[in-house]
Amino acid sequence: MRKEEIDRIKELVTAQMIDSLGYLPGAFRLSSEVCLVIISVAALFFLVRCKKPSIIFAFRFALRIIWLFTFVTYSYCVLQLTILSRTPVPWYDHIDWAFLSRWFDNNEQKAFYIANIVMFFPLGVLLPMAGKPMRHILIAAPVATVCSIGIEAVQLKYHLGACQLDDVLLNSFGFLLGFLVYLALADIYGLLSAIAKFLYRHSKELLKNKSSHLQS
């Protein structure tokens, strides 16, 4: 592709991403309401049980709330982009099984293809954070693919968009890229945690040795 085409595709993809930011206020409201319900239920549980949550539990619970807020926000934006904000179009009534069937049509179609990859990239990072089973690629990848197929099925059923095999493949590819980023971040986090634990233990031993030396 020529540089002009690449620049044009970048502009179109960027424009689509900027347009999707318009859904954030509604996404934030929904995410806040969901998290508030979860927090209220947890607070009521400890109030009834007359127990005080430990610091470790409170920290982990806060992390889960942050994840939930992010995941609901992301899911809301994706559903708005793919289903909720669209109006039915009569000729979207079939499945396009051809591979890269519209890639060579124009730059707009190329931008849509790239946007399909970008759209499922965050899912590749967020889904493994849902729990240990989702950290296995043989479980997480089929779940992501089913989500993509579900979106395409709803679009086909209600004529909300072109139901294409390409969309599922590109969504799955975007998820895999995000999953690889998650694995890299997890490795970095594990390495930093190991270094921090080593330094902490080493510092305690140094302080203990120094204290015993002074006492002697």
Side-chain angles (χ1 to χ4, degrees):
M1 287 188 295
R2 293 174 301 177
K3 185 179 183 300
E4 294 79 8
E5 288 184 88
I6 295 175
D7 291 340
R8 177 56 180 165
I9 293 171
K10 288 181 180 178
E11 291 177 4
L12 292 170
V13 173
T14 302
Q16 292 183 41
M17 295 177 66
I18 293 174
D19 288 342
S20 66
L21 296 179
Y23 300 118
L24 285 179
F28 287 157
R29 284 194 298 270
L30 177 62
S31 300
S32 300
E33 292 170 359
V34 172
C35 291
L36 184 60
V37 170
I38 300 297
I39 294 172
S40 300
V41 170
L44 183 61
F45 172 80
F46 282 102
L47 185 62
V48 172
R49 297 291 297 272
C50 297
K51 285 186 177 182
K52 184 179 179 180
S54 63
I55 296 177
I56 295 177
F57 176 86
F59 177 73
R60 290 178 177 174
F61 183 75
L63 290 179
R64 301 308 292 176
I65 290 297
I66 293 172
W67 176 87
L68 180 63
F69 183 92
T70 306
F71 185 77
V72 173
T73 299
Y74 164 75
S75 301
Y76 179 91
C77 290
V78 169
L79 290 175
Q80 285 287 351
L81 281 169
T82 57
I83 297 174
L84 300 178
S85 65
R86 298 191 176 190
T87 54
V89 179
W91 56 82
Y92 288 143
D93 58 354
H94 64 283
I95 302 176
D96 185 356
W97 296 100
F99 180 62
L100 296 179
S101 60
R102 300 186 180 182
W103 173 261
F104 300 101
D105 289 356
N106 48 54
N107 291 333
E108 285 74 15
Q109 290 299 326
K110 292 183 176 68
F112 280 127
Y113 274 62
I114 296 173
N116 272 310
I117 296 175
V118 174
M119 184 173 66
F120 263 53
F121 180 88
L123 186 63
V125 178
L126 291 171
L127 193 58
M129 296 180 182
K132 191 173 182 179
M134 292 300 167
R135 294 170 195 160
H136 200 297
I137 188 64
L138 295 180
I139 297 177
V143 170
T145 302
V146 168
C147 291
S148 178
I149 292 174
I151 291 173
E152 295 300 310
V154 173
Q155 288 180 343
L156 177 64
K157 171 70 175 177
Y158 297 101
H159 310 288
L160 298 175
C163 182
Q164 298 174 278
L165 174 64
D166 285 342
D167 290 351
V168 176
L169 296 177
L170 294 169
N171 290 160
S172 300
F173 180 66
F175 169 82
L176 290 175
L177 291 179
F179 194 87
L180 291 176
V181 170
Y182 166 80
L183 292 179
L185 294 175
D187 287 342
I188 294 173
Y189 174 79
L191 178 62
L192 293 177
S193 297
I195 293 173
K197 289 179 181 178
F198 172 79
L199 293 176
Y200 175 74
R201 292 173 182 172
H202 189 62
S203 63
K204 285 184 67 176
E205 290 177 1
L206 287 176
L207 290 173
K208 185 178 179 180
N209 294 334
K210 185 177 180 180
S211 177
S212 61
H213 178 72
L214 290 174
Q215 289 177 0
S216 61

